[in-house]
Amino acid sequence: MRLEPLPATEYARRISALQKELQNEGLDVLVGYSSECESGTTRYLAGFWPFFDFAGIVVPAEGNAVLITGGPESLEFARTFACIPEISVNPLFVESSAPEWVPHVEGESFSELLPRVCGKTPERVGIANWNILPQPIFEDLRAAAPRITEEAMKAALEAAEPGKREWELEAVARSTMVQMGAEGTSYPVWVCSGPTTPLSLCRSTDRPIQENELVQFTFGAKYMGYCGNMCRPFVIGEPPAAARKLMEVALEAMNYALGTIGPGVLAADVFQGYYDIL
């Protein structure tokens, strides 16, 4: 004798309990992933597990959860069997060997879905089932929650070329931060190159950057009252030998710190090992 299916109210209770945990952890949203053989997350939270295609679920800290399917067959399948009302299609969730007769699937990327579900672009995203999440879906998810300072740094690096003036590259970073919603910069920002790179405080000048010399970006965005900051050196071409040595040592020290940090480890011990390497 089969047991009666769980009522939709039970799935609503589970989602509500999860949302309390998200709020306690300071997370804006949780994204889960399921396949036919690893279906636990969507089955537990939405009463749905996929065949052929894949499935996911987006649970915001506040608001309604959304089930994600491929399609078009899985969309009808989910509408019939899922126990939560809102369902969205992401084309990346379509099976990897879909037959030619299956119609092209239109849907929402995470860049469209997450702001709609969360009411804003989320800052902290939790990922369930990260160990089985396919790379294309992860990249789609990561693009939906960009870090403003990091994206400004990337934009300025892409614009960098010999002859570009320091202030021009600063302008690229500033415009990127503002377009992504920054209230302003967290601290003074600058680009310094060549003879000014040893300075710990600087201003961008009219100087064109050159090949084979050290250039330093110092950018940071202020968003919702939070202040981020990044400092990154780079060279177009070959770095001077002394600069390369500094980069290698700094990278070694940073990798040591990242590999050492963990529950129960004293911050002072992490710092001391980092300092000793330098």
Side-chain angles (χ1 to χ4, degrees):
M1 179 178 176
R2 299 187 68 172
L3 297 176
E4 289 293 321
L6 293 174
T9 53
E10 171 60 19
Y11 296 101
R13 185 198 65 78
R14 293 175 179 181
I15 288 171
S16 178
L18 173 58
Q19 288 177 318
K20 291 179 181 178
E21 292 299 322
L22 294 179
Q23 293 166 18
N24 290 338
E25 294 295 328
L27 293 172
D28 296 315
V29 64
L30 180 82
V31 178
Y33 173 80
S34 290
S35 63
E36 187 172 348
C37 63
E38 291 279 357
S39 61
T41 299
T42 58
R43 189 167 189 172
Y44 181 80
L45 293 171
F48 179 78
W49 57 102
F51 296 153
F52 301 113
D53 292 334
F54 308 102
I57 191 165
V58 174
V59 182
E62 294 182 1
N64 297 325
V66 177
L67 181 71
I68 306 171
T69 72
E73 297 170 308
S74 289
L75 178 59
E76 297 302 320
F77 180 36
R79 284 172 173 167
T80 302
F81 286 94
C83 295
I84 61 174
E86 192 166 350
I87 303 169
S88 178
V89 171
N90 183 321
L92 292 175
F93 284 72
V94 174
E95 63 177 305
S96 58
S97 57
E100 293 181 1
W101 52 262
V102 172
H104 175 71
V105 174
E106 298 289 344
E108 293 181 291
S109 68
F110 280 113
S111 295
E112 300 166 295
L113 178 63
L114 291 188
R116 177 171 69 80
V117 174
C118 299
K120 63 175 185 176
T121 298
E123 297 176 38
R124 299 194 68 205
V125 179
I127 301 177
N129 321 107
W130 62 267
N131 58 321
I132 60 170
L133 188 67
Q135 180 71 9
I137 293 177
F138 175 76
E139 291 299 332
D140 186 53
L141 176 60
R142 185 163 67 171
R147 290 167 286 222
I148 295 176
T149 299
E150 182 179 340
E151 294 304 311
M153 186 74 67
K154 290 177 182 178
L157 283 170
E158 290 173 0
E161 60 183 16
K164 277 288 182 73
R165 300 183 186 278
E166 293 174 351
W167 67 264
E168 291 180 295
L169 297 177
E170 177 184 326
V172 171
R174 282 183 179 272
S175 63
T176 300
M177 288 187 277
V178 171
Q179 289 171 13
M180 294 184 66
E183 302 162 20
T185 61
S186 54
Y187 307 103
V189 300
W190 62 78
V191 176
C192 56
S193 61
T196 59
T197 50
L199 299 178
S200 59
L201 296 175
C202 198
R203 290 192 181 95
S204 303
T205 72
D206 212 33
R207 183 182 188 275
I209 66 172
Q210 307 294 326
E211 288 189 55
N212 305 322
E213 70 173 11
L214 196 62
V215 183
Q216 183 191 143
F217 286 167
T218 299
F219 303 142
K222 179 184 287 186
Y223 180 77
M224 300 294 288
Y226 290 93
C227 295
N229 200 56
M230 293 178 71
C231 303
R232 292 293 184 273
F234 72 97
V235 175
I236 300 174
E238 287 295 322
R244 176 181 286 277
K245 179 63 175 176
L246 289 172
M247 291 176 175
E248 291 173 349
V249 171
L251 182 61
E252 179 185 348
M254 183 61 68
N255 285 336
Y256 163 82
L258 292 173
T260 304
I261 291 171
V265 178
L266 293 178
D269 292 341
V270 177
F271 171 78
Q272 189 61 52
Y274 176 89
Y275 184 83
D276 289 345
I277 292 172
L278 296 183

